[in-house]
Every structure is written in C-alpha cells, then in structure tokens.
Amino acid sequence: MIDQPYVYRHRELVEPDWQRLPGWAEVSREDWESAQWQRAHCVKNIRQLRGVMGGGLAERFYADLERDQAERATMSMLLPPQMLNTMVPGLSPADPGFSDAFYADPVRRYMLPVFSDRHQEWPSHPHASRDSLHEAEMWPVEGLTHRYPTKVLAELLSTCPQYCGHCTRMDLVGNPTPVIDKHRFELGRDDRFAAMLAYLRANPGVRDVVVSGGDVANLPWPRLESFVAGLLEIDSIRDIRLATKALMGLPQYWLTDEVRSGMERLAATASQRDVSIAIHTHVNSAQSVTPLVARAAKAMLETGIRDVRNQGVLLRGTNDTAAQLLDLCFALLDDAKIMPYYFYMCDMIPGSEHWRLSLAEAQRLQHDIMGYLPGFATPRMVCDVPYVGKRWVHQVAGYDRERGISYWTKNYRTGVEADDSRALEREYEYYDPIYVLPETGQEYWRSRSRAPVGAAS
Ligand code: SF4
C-alpha cells in the first residue's frame, strides 16, 4: 500500500547541471541543446564513461559493468548525454556517496545494468526467450507484426539513439553482445517499406499502425516522413502512432527545425483526412522528465498532432512503488503534457528476471494508484502475454500463486493460429519471477531443468 498520505505537490521540472560531470564541465548550453552534439557524444563504452565521470565513480562499478557486458547483457551500451545526465541529478562525482547513489539510481538501474543487479540464481526464467512475444512469427511481410485484428506494428529499423537494458525487442534491436547475436532484416529498407505499404493497402481491415523500430528518431527524417505520408494515403488507416523513447532520451532531436516543420506537414495532411497521429514515448522515472523533454513534447503537440502518450515499463528498482509511479505520471502530465497511458510488465527475455514484477505486484500497483490521477490519465498496467497480446492485469483467467503461473485467454485469431480451431478455448501461460514465489514454488522450478545463463540465444 502506498504510504499515507501521498501528498501531491506540483514540482518544477529541473534540467540537471551537466557541467557537474567532469567530462562535460566546459560544454555550453548551445552544444547541449544540439541534437548533433548529443549524438556525437553518446557514451558507448567504459572508456567513455570514465571520461565523463572523471574518476569519481568507484572502480568496483566499472568491474561490475564489464562483467555484465561479458556475461549477461542482451543490449550494448548507448547513452545520450541527456539521459546519462539525469542519473543522480543532485550530486557530482566528487561528492561523498556518489558511487552508492549511482548504483541505486532508478535510471541507471535499467539503462546501465551491472552484474550484481541481476538475480544470481535466476538471471533468466526457464521460459524466457528472445523475441518473447513471437513478433517475427507474425510478420506477413518482414518487419510488419500483425497480431491484433485491426492493428499492426511496423518495425522500420533496428536501431535507437539509446539502448535500454530490458529491451523487449533485444532479438532484433541494437548491436550484438557477447551473449546475444541479433536478427538482421533480409530485405533492403526501401523494399521492406514498400512491402509493408502494399500489405496495408491490400488489408483494409487494419486501421491502426504503430510505426516503431527500434526508435523512429534514428530514421532520417525524410524517410520517416515519406513512410508516414504513404500511410496517410491509405483510406483505411485512421490511427498512426510514432514510437520514440528519444522524445525523452534525445529531446534535442524532436526540437530540430527539420523535424518540427516535417511534423507540421504530416499533421496538416492527417487533419485534412481525419486521421490521428500521436507520439508514443517510453519514460520510466520522474527524474527523466526535464524541461527539455517538456519542450520537445509541447513542440510536437504544437505541430497539430493528436497526442503524446507514455508507455512505461514496470521495473523493479526503478518504478516498483505506487509513489514512484504517481510522481512520474504527475511529472508527465503537469508540465510536459504527456498522457500516462500504459505500464507494461517487463517481458520474459533472457536476463530480465531481476527487473520483472509478479502479476500480483502489478495488480497491487494498479490498485494503489487509483483515485489520484484524472481517470483519462490513469495508466493501465498491462501484461503482454505471448500469443495473446496485451491484457489488463486484472483480466487474468486463473493464477497459481505458488508456482507463479498465470493463465490467460484470447478473443480473436491472428495469422499464426488462423487454422487452429481451439485457439480461443486454450489458456496461455505467463510466469512470475521465481525468486518472489513461496519456497515450495521455488522448489518446483528448481526440480525442473534450469535454463542456461543468457538462455535461448
Ligand atoms: S528505445 Fe525501445 S526499442 Fe530502443 S532499446 Fe529502448 S526499449 Fe528497445
């Protein structure tokens, strides 16, 4: 239960002082606000992290990070300065306690994971798998996931300006790591995009397209604009959502003249055709919502698009209390005008156990945040059940709490089960992290074969 009373107070957004970090002590505001400077100074390895921190971060952290990269990480390191700067915003590396605060930081915990963060006995659930949502099985054309009756996900590219440790699309997105290689698209980009548009023209039952990746902020703007313009020419498409965590991780990009004027053109066409364009972003912690993020979100709204919404991920150590979630939702809503929308349970990919919450914990969080936010801005906690799709956490059909197995049903058939007459009678399973189970439940899983570390690669 949330500590009572949770007291709402409007908090001014603050851009942490980047000059407190020795490597950026001389960086001007003009450079900081330049998307080009941000991209050129992303932190991609330990040497560059040392350069920014200037010796203030304890050696044990670097050793812990290095071991994680060698033995556990499914995503390589990629941190725009904007994002790194939101970690431990109130301390500089020379301050006492900085290293401990860095270890405990909610953003660090998911953007820069270290070996000691992971669960030592169960780094992965035995049922964890790469592409845990089986998206590639539902591609009628490469990169276009059709798993709901009226909606599709268009994965346009496999890179992002930032890489999140828990990325659900770790199968495809980012660079290979020592424990995970990556799927590569076979078709060239233009052929893939043309095939996607052709599929949508041929399937007027689809009305809603999530344009994603990766992160659309890594697609050259003219290419993104022409793809979205192609969608706007298809009469049956009524909703278009552009997925970009970079609205928070690299807001400088969304503030460039090229992007703002391009979005204005798309919004004007969408408005003429009665189509809704929205941006969906991915913010997990209140401290990530800075004045630059708010400026970028409002700049996008000013172009005339319908909305900017947030789809966060529930992560232990980052946002697993109701107070953290409410702080985040109020920060998004009050000054950035970003609509809290969903919080997903973290998917069952290798190495994610220490981040994942149980279904019971997610249900509890949903219960505990009710009544504080406007109803239209109260996010839903959702479980993305393999082969089923998103379900609100209270829609579970059955729940074995001892073994941590929840059972779910589905109400439509998609391409993969088109010939399966029992698809709608079956119950589909989802699994809690084993270490939160009662001892008898943990014994059940120990007695079964355990998946190797970094399973399913
Ligand atoms: S921004 Fe999204 S797609 Fe990119 S690494 Fe993070 S979770 Fe994955």
Side-chain angles (χ1 to χ4, degrees):
M1 184 68 73
I2 196 166
D3 282 345
Q4 295 293 319
Y6 172 89
V7 180
Y8 164 78
R9 278 198 192 86
H10 177 240
R11 293 188 179 92
E12 290 293 328
L13 301 182
V14 177
E15 204 71 50
D17 176 14
W18 58 89
Q19 293 185 333
R20 81 190 187 288
L21 300 172
W24 296 329
E26 306 295 327
V27 175
S28 66
R29 176 166 296 280
E30 189 184 353
D31 278 346
W32 189 261
E33 296 192 357
S34 150
Q36 208 178 358
W37 185 91
Q38 288 277 333
R39 285 195 195 263
H41 292 83
C42 283
V43 171
K44 304 188 197 77
N45 54 48
I46 290 175
R47 181 182 58 77
Q48 292 172 338
L49 184 63
R50 282 182 190 277
V52 174
M53 294 300 171
L57 190 53
E59 280 306 312
R60 67 189 155 94
F61 182 85
Y62 294 113
D64 212 354
L65 178 58
E66 192 167 9
R67 184 167 180 200
D68 196 74
Q69 294 188 330
E71 299 180 32
R72 293 281 190 270
T74 57
M75 299 299 289
S76 56
M77 191 195 301
L78 184 61
L79 286 165
Q82 169 75 24
M83 208 158 182
L84 184 52
N85 190 41
T86 62
M87 298 180 195
V88 198
L91 291 179
S92 72
D95 289 334
F98 179 82
S99 292
D100 288 342
F102 199 69
Y103 258 108
D105 186 84
V107 178
R108 196 287 303 161
R109 281 179 182 273
Y110 81 96
M111 291 305 297
L112 197 57
V114 291
F115 188 85
S116 63
D117 291 338
R118 313 261 180 189
H119 196 268
Q120 300 305 305
E121 182 182 6
W122 298 103
S124 301
H125 193 282
H127 287 288
S129 65
R130 54 189 300 163
D131 190 14
S132 69
L133 301 178
H134 307 279
E135 290 178 330
E137 291 173 43
M138 302 178 200
W139 286 352
V141 301
E142 196 178 42
L144 190 75
T145 302
H146 192 172
R147 72 170 171 149
Y148 297 100
T150 57
K151 338 185 243 189
V152 293
L153 168 78
E155 297 165 80
L156 295 192
L157 74 170
S158 59
T159 66
C160 308
Q162 64 285 306
Y163 290 135
C164 316
H166 66 284
C167 179
T168 196
R169 231 158 265 143
M170 45 66 71
D171 180 51
L172 176 75
V173 169
N175 306 309
T177 71
V179 293
I180 295 286
D181 61 355
K182 302 280 168 163
H183 180 87
R184 289 285 165 244
F185 288 130
E186 288 174 5
L187 287 177
R189 189 174 70 185
D190 290 350
D191 289 344
R192 241 179 331 109
F193 291 6
M196 288 178 185
L197 292 171
Y199 179 83
L200 294 171
R201 279 192 291 271
N203 287 274
V206 176
R207 63 171 298 288
D208 178 359
V209 182
V210 177
V211 182
S212 183
D215 187 320
V216 295
N218 262 19
L219 197 60
W221 177 265
R223 200 63 197 89
L224 178 62
E225 185 172 342
S226 77
F227 184 82
V228 176
L231 292 176
L232 286 168
E233 286 171 5
I234 301 174
D235 285 342
S236 44
I237 305 297
R238 314 310 302 163
D239 267 296
I240 298 171
R241 321 185 227 170
L242 307 180
T244 175
K245 187 182 179 95
L247 189 75
M248 172 271 276
L250 188 65
Q252 294 84 350
Y253 170 76
W254 292 99
L255 285 163
T256 58
D257 291 342
E258 180 186 36
V259 172
R260 291 169 76 151
S261 57
M263 258 322 211
E264 274 171 15
R265 288 189 292 274
L266 289 174
T269 309
S271 166
Q272 282 161 14
R273 300 189 182 173
D274 250 347
V275 176
S276 298
I277 295 182
I279 287 181
H280 281 207
T281 193
H282 169 189
V283 189
N284 295 330
S285 178
Q287 70 203 57
S288 300
V289 187
T290 73
L292 269 168
V293 175
R295 259 170 61 194
K298 287 189 279 196
M300 287 299 103
L301 289 171
E302 283 162 13
T303 67
I305 62 169
R306 165 87 184 255
D307 210 350
V308 179
R309 308 184 184 113
N310 185 53
Q311 303 186 176
V313 178
L314 295 174
L315 298 165
R316 195 179 303 283
T318 295
N319 56 19
D320 57 346
T321 70
Q324 285 172 313
L325 291 176
L326 289 176
D327 287 350
L328 168 56
C329 291
F330 285 122
L332 291 166
L333 198 56
D334 283 356
D335 291 318
K337 307 301 170 207
I338 299 174
M339 185 70 74
Y341 173 42
Y342 276 153
F343 282 106
Y344 288 95
M345 295 179 68
C346 179
D347 289 321
M348 293 187 53
I349 49 141
S352 67
E353 282 308 272
H354 68 293
W355 282 307
R356 296 199 312 118
L357 304 187
S358 68
L359 177 69
E361 289 174 299
Q363 289 177 328
R364 167 56 67 180
L365 287 172
Q366 181 77 79
H367 172 271
D368 287 356
I369 65 163
M370 299 305 291
Y372 290 94
L373 292 148
F376 60 81
T378 300
R380 288 180 180 144
M381 311 294 158
V382 292
C383 181
D384 210 337
V385 183
Y387 291 121
V388 174
K390 280 179 282 298
R391 289 291 178 271
W392 305 343
V393 291
H394 286 88
Q395 287 185 289
V396 66
Y399 190 11
D400 176 347
R401 288 176 183 244
E402 186 179 351
R403 293 178 178 178
I405 307 174
S406 51
Y407 300 92
W408 307 80
T409 55
K410 71 184 297 181
N411 55 324
Y412 46 78
R413 293 214 299 252
T414 55
V416 275
E417 67 260 306
D419 301 323
D420 179 355
S421 60
R422 293 201 53 245
L424 306 191
E425 297 161 22
R426 191 172 296 125
E427 289 195 327
Y428 299 79
E429 295 182 358
Y430 193 81
Y431 305 95
D432 287 345
I434 292 168
Y435 64 88
V436 304
L437 303 179
E439 192 51 38
T440 48
Q442 296 193 33
E443 269 311 311
Y444 166 80
W445 287 102
R446 283 192 194 105
S447 68
R448 300 163 68 90
S449 61
R450 204 175 283 178
V453 169
S457 58

